[in-house]
Amino acid sequence: MSKMLEPEELAKDIAESPTLLHGKSPEKEWMDTPAEFREGNWAYSAKQPALEALNMPYPRDWSPDEEDWKLPENWKEIISEGFRERLDKFRSFKIFMDVCVRCGACADKCHFFLGTGDPKNMPVLRAELLRSVYRNDFTLAGKLLKKFAGARPLTMEVVKEWFLYFFQCTECRRCSVFCPYGIDTAEITMMARELLNLVGININWIMDPASNCNRTGNHLGIEPHTFRTVVESLMDDIEDITGVSIEPSFNRKGAEILFITPSGDVFADPGVYTMMGYIMLFEHIGLDYTLSTYASEGGNFGLFNSNELMKKLNAKMYHEAERLGSKWILGGECGHMWRVINQYMDTMNGPTPGNMEEPVSPITGTKFENAKSTKMVHISEFTADLIKHNKLKLDPSRNDHLNVTFHDSCNPSRAMGMLDEPRYVIQNVCNNFFEMPENTIRENTFCCGAGSGLNTEEIMDVRMRGALPRASALRHVQDKHDVNMLACVCAIDRATLLALTQYWAPDVEVTGVTEMVANALVMEGENEVRDMDLREEPYLGVED
C-alpha cells in the first residue's frame, strides 16, 4: 500500500495544486508529456499463474515501473490488428472514434480529474490517447497530416500511457451522461484494455479474481464445501441475534429460484450482514430458492478485461440454473453483474436455457417484464414489490439508531436505471433517510473511486483523490443531518466505500440495503425481545 497523506493534507494538495483544474495550462502539449509512474498511481501487473489458468496471451513476470515490459517482438502488429478487428466488430467503437468534437462537456465530470487535476484524466483526453493512434493508422487525414490532425504513431511510450490512464478509469460512465453525442467513454476504456490484454498487459486485481471465478465459481477461489460452511456459520449468527433457526438450501434441483450474489457478501465485512439479510428475507416469505456452491459469484471481472472473458463468466450462472432446473434467477446487490446482464448479455450469450421462464414473484404474482429476456431479477426490485403488496412485517423503528443516506452505485444506476427501488425500500425500513446533494445522486452519481477492478491498495493515493467528490457529498449530509450510515446496492462499493469513509468521513459506516431490511423484519419465532441489529449494535432505546 502506498504511503498516504493525512486527509487534510491531501485535500489541501488537491485544492492548491497548480493544474488545469485550477486554470493553469500544462507546460507541454499532452502528446509531449510522458506518462509518469509514481508510488500510488499504478496497479500491480497480473501474475503469471492467473494468466496461464485463463489461457491469456503472453503470461510473464513484469512490472509497470520497469523499463522493459517484456512484450512480444511483434507487439505493434498485434495491437494494430486487434484495433482493426474491434473497429469492424463493434460499430459503437468506430462511431466513438469518429464523432467526438472535443467540446469539453465531459471534462470536469470525472472524479479522477477532479481529484488529480491531470489533463489526461479528462474523459475527452483519455479517449484521445486511443483516438490519436486510430487517426494515425486508420484515417486518411491522420496519415497525411499526422500531428496536425491529432494523430500519432503507436510507440512504447503510448502503450505505457494507455496502461496508466485506462487503469485510472472506473468505467463509471458519468461522463457519458453529459456528452451531447452520447459517447460512452467507458466502452473506449474497455477497448483499450482489450488491446493491452492482447500483448499480456493486465493488472492482478482483475485477472486474479477472474481466474479464481473460472476455477471455483467465485472471485476468492473458495471451494464449494467452504462456501457452504461459511454460509451456515452466518446462520448461527442469525440464530444468536434473533432466535430464529434457518437452514438454507444448497444445490437443490427443482427449486423455483436460483439465488446468486457476489462472493463479497459471503466472505467480506460488511457484506456478510447483507448476506444474512437475504436469507432472513427468504425465510420470512417462505421462498422456494436454492444457493449454488458452484456458481457462487454474481460479479463479473471479465467486464474489465475482455468481451470473451465477460461472456464466459456470465454464462456460468445460466448453466447452473439449467442444471438445477430453476425457473429464474434472483440476483443480489452487485454492480458489474447487473451491467453485464442488462447491457451485454442478450447479444453476448444469446437465449437463456429452455427450462427458464419469465420471472414471476411467487409471493405477489408480479411479472417482472423487464427481466423477460434475461430471466434475472434484482433483489431491490423484488423486495420493493413485496413491500408494495404488504408481504413483509416491518418495524422501521428498529433502524432508528441509523441516520441513512444512499449512494447510487454507478452500474445499477446508470447501466440499468435502478434508481427508485432501493430508495423505496430504505424509506419503508427506516425513519431517518437523507439524500446527498441533487447533482451528486441518481444518474449524476459520483463513483466510489475504485470500481472497474481498481479496488487495490497499491493505488490508494489515486483512489482517495478520485473518491473526494463522493466524499464531499457524504460529508455534507454528515455535517447537516448527522448521517452515520451510507447504504448502497453493490458489493464492490461496500468494500471501496468503507475505505472512503474511513479516510474522508470517519464515523460513517457502510451497509447493504437488504441488511437494513433484515434489521426491520419482525420474524416469526424470533426472540420475545429482539434488542440488537445484525451487527449486534443495540436498537435505540434498549442500549442498557
Side-chain angles (χ1 to χ4, degrees), residues 110-155:
C110 176
H111 49 285
F112 283 130
F113 176 59
L114 294 175
T116 66
D118 189 332
K120 293 180 184 178
N121 270 327
M122 293 190 298
V124 59
L125 187 44
R126 186 186 289 114
E128 203 70 11
L129 305 181
L130 198 64
R131 197 176 280 121
S132 57
V133 175
Y134 163 74
R135 293 195 192 98
N136 187 80
D137 292 354
F138 300 102
T139 70
L140 181 60
K143 290 177 180 178
L144 293 176
L145 300 176
K146 301 298 182 182
K147 193 173 182 179
F148 291 103
R152 62 175 178 168
L154 180 64
T155 66

Side-chain angles (χ1 to χ4, degrees), residues 54 74 171 174 186 194 289 372:
L54 290 168
N74 61 335
E171 302 180 12
R174 189 173 194 264
E194 283 206 17
Y289 78 99
K372 189 172 184 177

Side-chain angles (χ1 to χ4, degrees), residues 414-440:
R414 281 189 280 265
M416 67 178 297
M418 182 65 63
L419 303 171
D420 295 317
E421 293 87 345
R423 288 175 167 83
Y424 178 78
V425 173
I426 291 172
Q427 290 167 342
N428 278 275
V429 300
C430 85
N431 295 315
N432 308 312
F433 175 64
F434 307 95
E435 288 277 22
M436 286 185 274
E438 186 176 356
N439 63 336
T440 72

Side-chain angles (χ1 to χ4, degrees), residues 315-518:
K316 76 180 188 306
M317 299 188 295
Y318 290 89
H319 291 321
E320 186 67 348
E322 182 177 27
R323 185 183 75 86
L324 295 175
S326 301
K327 292 181 179 179
W328 53 279
I329 301 173
L330 182 60
E333 297 180 13
C334 184
H336 38 83
M337 169 174 76
W338 286 106
R339 184 175 178 194
V340 172
I341 289 165
N342 280 269
Q343 289 197 296
Y344 303 114
M345 195 193 96
D346 275 349
T347 53
M348 231 174 23
N349 291 98
T352 52
N355 62 287
M356 300 187 74
E357 302 176 2
E358 177 182 352
V360 177
S361 172
I363 312 301
T364 68
T366 297
K367 284 188 176 182
F368 295 99
E369 295 183 0
N370 59 309
K372 189 172 184 177
S373 63
T374 65
K375 310 296 190 296
M376 193 161 180
V377 176
H378 193 287
I379 187 68
S380 287
E381 58 185 326
F382 181 75
T383 306
D385 178 65
L386 292 171
I387 293 173
K388 181 181 179 181
H389 289 88
N390 297 312
K391 298 299 182 181
L392 302 183
K393 189 174 183 181
L394 299 168
D395 180 359
S397 70
R398 289 180 170 181
N399 282 313
D400 279 353
H401 59 306
L402 305 178
N403 292 332
V404 182
T405 192
F406 180 67
H407 165 68
D408 290 276
S409 301
C410 297
N411 285 317
S413 60
R414 281 189 280 265
M416 67 178 297
M418 182 65 63
L419 303 171
D420 295 317
E421 293 87 345
R423 288 175 167 83
Y424 178 78
V425 173
I426 291 172
Q427 290 167 342
N428 278 275
V429 300
C430 85
N431 295 315
N432 308 312
F433 175 64
F434 307 95
E435 288 277 22
M436 286 185 274
E438 186 176 356
N439 63 336
T440 72
I441 60 173
R442 303 178 79 89
E443 294 93 338
N444 295 337
T445 184
F446 275 111
C447 181
C448 66
S452 186
L454 303 186
N455 181 23
T456 181
E457 291 189 350
E458 66 265 21
I459 59 169
M460 195 60 79
D461 178 78
V462 165
R463 280 181 54 186
M464 290 301 103
R465 290 174 182 272
L468 181 57
R470 174 77 296 164
S472 297
L474 175 60
R475 284 290 295 269
H476 174 78
V477 289
Q478 183 186 25
D479 294 341
K480 186 175 181 179
H481 301 293
D482 197 25
V483 161
N484 58 13
M485 185 62 78
L486 176 58
C488 64
V489 288
C490 174
I492 289 292
D493 277 349
R494 278 192 284 281
T496 61
L497 290 171
L498 196 60
L500 179 156
T501 59
Q502 289 171 348
Y503 187 80
W504 287 117
D507 302 323
V508 177
E509 296 186 67
V510 180
T511 181
V513 170
T514 309
E515 176 188 345
M516 297 177 60
V517 173

Side-chain angles (χ1 to χ4, degrees), residues 8-27:
E8 296 77 11
E9 295 174 318
L10 185 59
K12 184 179 180 182
D13 181 72
I14 294 172
E16 296 180 354
S17 59
T19 64
L20 185 63
L21 184 63
H22 300 105
K24 181 176 180 180
S25 299
E27 295 179 359

Side-chain angles (χ1 to χ4, degrees), residues 157-173:
E157 281 302 316
V158 169
V159 170
K160 291 185 177 183
E161 191 177 56
W162 284 2
F163 175 84
L164 188 63
Y165 289 100
F166 286 114
F167 285 104
Q168 282 185 43
C169 170
T170 52
E171 302 180 12
C172 80
R173 303 173 71 241

